[in-house]
């Protein structure tokens, strides 16, 4: 199995920079920012993120079966079967939760590298492409949908539950599934909004540019 390509290194220290020209530096800067932007908001990153969220939900679904299944028809081993299902579900959640945590940490590292490479120079005309408006919108819309569904499951379903019709196990499952979706929506929305704010700063006129324009 091939490993994921490593992240690009940070830009070299000032005393070690040896680009033959300013244009060469801008070309390397653009290549790195394009690579990092794709890793952060690209289609593959979006698919992997929601597949991991689906994996967490799948594990919680097994826990939900343990919470909602009736032990009366499973005697004398009903409690053991429910406990085993719960353990399997929680165990199935461990791997995707760990990978989601690693994904969040890797995104922070990616964002830090993008900040460092962007600080090398100001090139507003070329940097406009790094807004990645379509990718940011995809992250934002899917995250909003997941967050809205999560809030509905976590708040509306328990509020609408009726004694004798809905079980405590079913309500607990709905609240857990909704909370997980809501958290995932927050993570995805934060990534999209964070990139948008970074891109706006990237193409915004700097004070030095403004001063230079006034001098002319």
């Amino acid at each position: 199995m091939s490993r994921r390509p490593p992240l690009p290194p940070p830009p070299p220290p000032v005393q070690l920079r040896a680009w033959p020209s300013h244009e060469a530096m801008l070309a390397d800067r653009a290549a790195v920012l394009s690579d990092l932007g794709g890793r952060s908001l690209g289609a593959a990153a979006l698919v992997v993120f929601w597949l991991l969220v689906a994996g967490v939900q799948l594990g919680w679904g097994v826990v939900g079966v343990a919470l909602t299944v009736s032990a009366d028809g499973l005697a004398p081993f009903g409690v053991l079967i429910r406990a085993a299902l719960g353990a399997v579900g929680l165990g199935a959640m461990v791997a995707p939760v760990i990978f989601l945590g690693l994904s969040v940490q890797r995104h922070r590292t990616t964002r830090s590298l993008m900040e460092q490479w962007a600080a090398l120079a100001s090139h507003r005309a070329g940097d406009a492409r790094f807004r990645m408006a379509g990718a940011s919108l995809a992250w934002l819309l899917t995250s909003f949908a997941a967050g809205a569904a999560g809030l509905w499951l976590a708040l509306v379903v328990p509020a609408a539950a009726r004694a004798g019709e809905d079980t405590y196990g079913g309500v607990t499952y709905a609240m857990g599934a909704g909370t997980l979706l809501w958290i995932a929506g927050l993570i995805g929305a934060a990534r999209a909004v964070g990139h948008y704010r970074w891109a706006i700063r990237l193409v915004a006129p700097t004070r030095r540019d403004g001063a230079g324009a006034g001098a002319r």
Side-chain angles (χ1 to χ4, degrees):
M1 181 182 295
S2 59
R3 298 179 58 186
R4 179 183 300 180
L7 291 171
V14 176
Q15 64 273 19
L16 297 180
R17 293 173 187 173
W19 280 286
S21 64
H22 184 68
E23 288 71 22
M25 183 272 289
L26 288 178
D28 286 348
R29 174 181 175 274
V32 172
L33 288 178
S34 179
D35 179 36
L36 293 174
R39 292 171 185 258
S40 178
L41 288 185
L46 180 66
V47 170
V48 169
F49 177 78
W50 289 114
L51 283 177
L52 291 173
V53 173
V56 176
Q57 288 288 352
L58 180 61
W60 182 247
V62 178
V63 175
V65 173
L67 292 172
T68 57
V69 68
S70 174
D72 297 336
L74 301 175
F77 304 109
V79 175
L80 292 177
I81 292 176
R82 293 178 67 174
L85 284 173
V88 169
L90 291 175
M93 294 174 64
V94 171
V97 166
I98 290 176
F99 281 113
L100 275 173
L102 293 175
S103 173
V104 171
Q105 182 59 43
R106 186 177 180 87
H107 173 69
R108 291 176 180 173
T109 304
T110 300
R111 177 62 60 213
S112 175
L113 287 172
M114 292 179 76
E115 295 278 359
Q116 295 176 57
W117 278 95
L120 283 177
S122 176
H123 189 225
R124 295 195 303 275
D127 290 344
R129 58 178 168 160
F130 299 127
R131 290 179 179 177
M132 301 179 66
S136 297
L137 183 61
W139 276 87
L140 192 60
L141 290 179
T142 54
S143 299
F144 177 80
L151 286 177
W152 183 81
L153 284 171
L155 299 178
V156 178
V157 172
R162 296 291 181 267
E165 298 180 6
D166 301 287
T167 63
Y168 289 108
V171 172
T172 301
Y173 165 73
M175 292 178 64
T179 301
L180 292 171
L181 277 177
W182 182 68
I183 293 174
L186 284 180
I187 294 173
R191 183 177 297 199
V193 172
H195 181 85
Y196 174 79
R197 294 177 61 185
W198 171 82
I200 291 299
R201 294 196 306 270
L202 191 64
V203 299
T206 62
R207 292 183 179 180
R208 184 175 59 186
D209 293 339
R216 289 193 296 271

